[in-house]
Amino acid sequence: NAGVMQNPRHLVRRRGQEARLRCSPMKGHSHVYWYRQLPEEGLKFMVYLQKENIIDESGMPKERFSAEFPKEGPSILRIQQVVRGDSAAYFCASSPVGGNTEAFFGQGTRLTVV
Amino acid sequence: QQQVKQSPQSLIVQKGGISIINCAYENTAFDYFPWYQQFPGKGPALLIAIRPDVSEKKEGRFTISFNKSAKQFSLHIMDSQPGDSATYFCAASMNTGFQKLVFGTGTRLLVSP
């Protein structure tokens, strides 16, 4: 039973390019969370999605960031026109149901904007 | 009010010693308090969690102590081992129907041989 799979593990983008981060939840999990970890800081909640629905995006920056979790395929976190301040580790977590059930984290995608 | 304050920022403990990490919160609506362990280059992994209806929870060498009136909780690692060297995060969430975690800033633990 594979864990939460994130790819790519490392991503380098030039300023102004787009970054697409993918997350395949654990088998049977239909709830996905995205968190961002800036250097030397804790993780910050970005967005919570269920299949085909964004439930809570209160932690998402208002511009340039979007997320989706389609009926088929992985969840995608998309960052348009990246800036240096977007450089961070982006973690995806999944859980089988809602509530305070354990969410399992992937290994993260480390985005570097040059 | 949404913050979780964690201390110390870093900690060095000798092998066999006790590691203690503390967290404090303000929001009394928090009702779930997990601790995560993160190794370099890896994602956080749930270590142990507690709800406010108990004051202590123990799993192996790891114990959470919870003080509801003081709004504080702590992680104790007994008989610390070099393999425990990692970054530890406390977190909290409310019963909102999903696990929206508020994380502390992390404690980097080094257990010396």
Side-chain angles (χ1 to χ4, degrees):
Chain A
N1 185 13
V4 178
M5 303 300 291
Q6 290 189 249
N7 67 81
R9 292 291 312 278
H10 300 274
L11 182 61
V12 179
R13 284 287 177 266
R14 295 188 185 279
R15 281 178 294 171
Q17 291 184 319
E18 179 180 286
R20 279 182 176 247
L21 288 62
R22 293 175 182 77
C23 169
S24 296
M26 289 179 70
K27 188 176 180 180
H29 288 195
S30 58
H31 298 244
V32 165
Y33 306 80
W34 285 93
Y35 287 82
R36 176 165 64 175
Q37 184 177 31
L38 294 170
E40 306 300 320
E41 292 188 16
L43 285 77
K44 296 278 195 282
F45 170 82
M46 298 182 76
V47 62
Y48 164 57
L49 310 102
Q50 295 177 21
K51 283 283 186 181
E52 299 183 278
N53 287 304
I54 297 174
I55 308 301
D56 184 323
E57 55 181 349
S58 58
M60 290 276 272
K62 296 288 182 243
E63 297 177 348
R64 303 187 297 107
F65 285 72
S66 62
E68 63 177 11
F69 189 17
K71 187 176 180 181
E72 302 291 337
S75 175
I76 306 286
L77 179 67
R78 183 181 177 207
I79 311 172
Q80 294 179 290
Q81 299 175 327
V82 295
V83 300
R84 289 235 171 96
D86 297 333
S87 295
Y90 292 82
F91 290 96
C92 167
S94 74
S95 65
V97 295
N100 269 327
T101 53
E102 181 183 356
F104 295 84
F105 282 83
Q107 297 196 61
T109 293
R110 277 146 187 86
L111 172 65
T112 301
V113 179
V114 297
Chain B
Q1 200 183 23
Q2 281 292 87
Q3 283 185 319
V4 176
K5 295 184 179 179
Q6 183 172 348
S7 62
Q9 193 173 17
S10 62
L11 182 61
I12 300 175
V13 172
Q14 285 201 324
K15 180 182 175 181
I18 302 174
S19 304
I20 302 175
I21 305 170
N22 301 299
C23 283
Y25 63 97
E26 288 295 324
N27 190 343
T28 55
F30 287 145
D31 68 349
Y32 176 69
F33 302 90
W35 284 90
Y36 284 83
Q37 180 188 56
Q38 185 179 29
F39 293 104
K42 304 292 185 183
L46 180 66
L47 199 58
I48 186 173
I50 197 168
R51 295 191 184 275
D53 52 346
V54 297
S55 60
E56 185 174 282
K57 183 174 181 180
K58 185 176 181 179
E59 289 184 2
R61 296 185 294 109
F62 301 93
T63 300
I64 298 180
S65 297
F66 186 81
N67 186 329
K68 189 174 181 178
S69 60
K71 291 184 283 187
Q72 296 175 346
F73 58 111
S74 60
L75 176 69
H76 296 234
I77 306 174
M78 313 300 286
D79 187 26
S80 299
Q81 298 297 312
D84 296 331
S85 297
T87 299
Y88 293 81
F89 293 96
C90 62
S93 69
M94 294 182 280
N95 186 15
T96 56
F98 65 97
Q99 197 177 77
K100 182 177 179 179
L101 294 166
V102 178
F103 281 84
T105 50
T107 296
R108 190 171 294 179
L109 172 65
L110 176 64
V111 181
S112 58

